[in-house]
């Protein structure tokens, strides 16, 4: 039986990860939000930092958003960090600090979709519900040789329903962990290690030699290129930064002045007369759908200019401000 076989494989082959040794829904939720679009090796230190700094949901709810975003810095997709904090406040204030206990109720939380709700419900409460992430989609679509696009909601619902029938009684938590672990370590997108797989004899894709063709995807991600031109204004070792607005991919984080015209206009507009200009090598930053080319031009001013929307900060203060990774990298590598 598929379920029993992969659970027994999992129990002897699993990686020891801290969120696997707990039934605490708060820790499980933290790990799941951190691991969205993030590799385990990258997410692990963040999980440890969050658990140490905020050992309970109450501690997280009582933190300042800036502090949470600073801890999140470098993980990207900052809306996750903000939702994490907002949700902790909601649970603390509206639900008396108690985590919802069912798949259905968990999906009502901000930032918690079907997969995350299923993961928490099964790992923390052992509710019989399949957690279908990208790994599970790949494993199940290969095992049953499903030649339908896995980024289509109908296929995903079919895989969810099929998986429901594969969960051994009272073992949903282990089952879900096992499928995802198989997908993360054996049933890989490329260089699939079928010879080490505990279910290869029943796997239809393996039997029919179609492993490399499955899963099928409807849409291929298109990466577009975008250039950002930053102006760094420096005066007496202090740097001008502004806090970005609420509705923004980098909401509430601090960055430099974004140049939309040219430097000459900027200098004239702000009456900067005595200065030195320094141009830095462009930085590249890859996001899921975008490749950012970021140019930095530094203006070292002899007099403090007045520029609306932000202020000058000392380096020590800047270290503690939440910043997009590209800005943090710039300070680390250049200043
Ligand atoms: S036999 Fe290969 S394709 Fe089938 S589930 Fe195992 S690793 Fe995946």
């Amino acid at each position: 039986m598929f379920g029993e076989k992969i659970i027994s494989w999992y129990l002897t082959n699993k990686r020891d990860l801290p969120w696997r040794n707990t039934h605490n829904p708060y820790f499980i939720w933290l790990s799941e939000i951190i691991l969205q679009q993030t590799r385990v090796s990258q997410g692990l230190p963040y999980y440890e930092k969050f658990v140490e700094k905020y050992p309970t949901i109450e501690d997280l709810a009582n933190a300042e958003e800036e502090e949470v975003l600073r801890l999140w810095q470098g993980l990207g997709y900052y809306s996750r960090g903000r939702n994490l904090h907002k949700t902790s406040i909601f649970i603390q204030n509206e639900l008396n600090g108690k985590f919802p206990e069912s798949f259905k109720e968990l999906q009502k939380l901000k930032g918690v979709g079907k997969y995350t709700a299923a993961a928490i419900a099964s790992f923390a409460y052992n509710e019989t519900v399949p957690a279908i992430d990208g790994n599970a989609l790949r494993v199940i679509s290969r095992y049953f040789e499903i030649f339908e696009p896995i980024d289509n909601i109908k296929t995903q619902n079919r895989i969810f329903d099929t998986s429901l029938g594969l969960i051994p009684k009272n073992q949903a938590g282990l089952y879900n962990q096992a499928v995802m672990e198989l997908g993360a370590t054996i049933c890989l997108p490329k260089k699939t290690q079928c010879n080490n797989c505990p279910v290869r004899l029943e796997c239809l894709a393996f039997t029919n030699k179609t492993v490399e063709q499955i899963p099928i995807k409807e849409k291929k991600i298109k990466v577009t290129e975008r250039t950002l031109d930053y102006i760094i204004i420096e005066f007496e070792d202090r740097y001008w930064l502004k806090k970005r607005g609420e509705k923004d991919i980098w909401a509430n984080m601090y960055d430099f002045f974004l140049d939309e015209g040219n430097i000459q206009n900027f200098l004239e507009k702000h009456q900067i007369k005595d200065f030195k200009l320094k141009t830095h090598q462009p930085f590249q930053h890859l996001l899921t759908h975008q490749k950012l080319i970021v140019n930095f031009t530094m203006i070292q001013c002899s007099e403090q200019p007045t520029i609306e929307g932000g202020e000058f900060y000392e380096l020590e203060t800047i270290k503690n401000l939440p910043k997009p990774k590209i800005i943090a990298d710039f300070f680390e590598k250049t200043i």
Side-chain angles (χ1 to χ4, degrees):
M1 296 282 280
F2 178 83
E4 282 81 3
K5 278 192 180 173
I6 58 163
I7 288 176
S8 110
W9 166 84
Y10 172 73
L11 290 173
T12 45
N13 293 283
K14 66 176 177 174
R15 293 167 295 173
D16 188 21
L17 300 170
W19 48 84
R20 289 184 167 162
N21 303 323
T22 178
H23 293 289
N24 180 333
Y26 165 60
F27 290 157
I28 294 167
W29 167 69
L30 261 183
S31 72
E32 288 299 333
I33 303 294
I34 288 173
L35 292 178
Q36 284 169 8
Q37 289 128 338
T38 301
R39 287 188 314 276
V40 167
S41 57
Q42 196 198 352
L44 186 58
Y46 284 85
Y47 172 81
E48 286 169 341
K49 276 195 283 185
F50 269 85
V51 167
E52 195 189 326
K53 185 135 191 178
Y54 311 119
T56 67
I57 189 126
E58 189 179 355
D59 297 319
L60 181 58
N62 288 336
E64 292 294 327
E65 186 186 82
E66 270 198 23
E67 187 185 277
V68 175
L69 288 180
R70 202 165 61 236
L71 212 60
W72 192 270
Q73 194 172 296
L75 260 182
Y77 301 97
Y78 293 95
S79 58
R80 282 187 295 159
R82 273 188 298 278
N83 281 341
L84 187 85
H85 185 231
K86 281 191 183 133
T87 304
S88 70
I89 296 172
F90 173 79
I91 295 175
Q92 190 57 32
N93 296 345
E94 308 298 322
L95 308 178
N96 296 323
K98 203 166 179 314
F99 241 89
E101 293 185 0
S102 70
F103 174 54
K104 195 171 160 208
E105 289 302 311
L106 282 158
Q107 284 179 79
K108 293 181 186 166
L109 297 177
K110 202 173 166 68
V112 174
K114 199 171 171 183
Y115 157 74
T116 308
I120 302 170
S122 61
F123 304 160
Y125 308 115
N126 212 13
E127 181 175 338
T128 304
V129 58
I132 311 292
D133 70 344
N135 285 322
L137 282 174
R138 188 169 56 255
V139 172
I140 302 298
S141 60
R142 283 175 173 167
Y143 185 80
F144 289 102
E145 204 181 30
I146 298 174
F147 278 107
E148 287 163 36
I150 53 155
D151 47 355
N152 178 304
I153 190 75
K154 273 193 196 153
T155 317
Q156 291 176 4
N157 287 340
R158 181 182 159 195
I159 290 179
F160 182 92
D161 293 344
T162 306
S163 300
L164 198 56
L166 299 173
I167 302 176
K169 205 166 175 221
N170 295 329
Q171 292 199 295
L174 271 179
Y175 169 86
N176 283 331
Q177 301 267 21
V179 177
M180 290 192 273
E181 187 74 345
L182 191 75
T185 59
I186 301 282
C187 195
L188 298 162
K190 286 180 189 150
K191 298 199 179 149
T192 310
Q193 298 176 25
C194 297
N195 288 337
N196 298 325
C197 177
V199 292
R200 68 186 176 284
L201 297 181
E202 304 89 44
C203 173
L204 286 178
F206 178 71
T207 310
N208 298 330
K209 299 190 173 51
T210 53
V211 174
E212 282 175 16
Q213 297 165 40
I214 300 175
I216 290 181
K217 283 198 185 162
E218 237 164 28
K219 316 168 194 128
K220 287 239 155 70
I221 294 176
K222 208 171 145 218
V223 177
T224 52
E225 209 171 276
R226 189 175 158 210
T227 305
L228 293 180
D229 294 308
Y230 274 123
I231 300 180
I232 305 156
I233 310 122
E234 188 244 358
F235 173 66
E236 291 185 344
D237 292 332
R238 291 184 302 131
Y239 298 86
W240 188 95
L241 292 171
K242 70 167 194 312
K243 188 173 181 178
R244 295 179 71 106
E246 279 279 349
K247 290 184 179 148
D248 191 306
I249 50 159
W250 290 329
N252 298 338
M253 308 193 98
Y254 290 75
D255 69 354
F256 300 121
F257 190 93
L258 209 46
D259 184 23
E260 275 154 13
N262 63 46
I263 296 268
Q264 204 50 43
N265 290 347
F266 177 85
L267 293 167
E268 277 170 24
K269 185 174 170 200
H270 297 95
Q271 298 176 1
I272 302 172
K273 297 196 175 91
D274 197 0
F275 62 87
K276 267 196 222 156
L277 266 191
K278 205 169 158 189
T279 306
H280 292 269
Q281 284 279 81
F283 278 48
Q284 286 197 9
H285 188 53
L286 282 178
L287 303 167
T288 316
H289 295 91
Q290 271 188 355
K291 179 174 167 188
L292 292 181
I293 312 285
V294 189
N295 298 311
F296 293 100
T297 306
M298 191 184 296
I299 304 175
Q300 294 171 308
C301 306
S302 310
E303 283 174 36
Q304 180 164 341
T306 308
I307 302 157
E308 282 175 9
E311 52 187 286
F312 285 89
Y313 294 92
E314 309 258 345
L315 272 181
E316 270 314 296
T317 314
I318 293 172
K319 265 189 207 156
N320 293 324
L321 293 174
K323 306 172 280 298
K325 186 164 186 310
I326 192 84
I327 303 292
D329 283 354
F330 180 83
F331 274 105
E332 200 173 296
K333 291 182 188 153
T334 318
I335 294 180

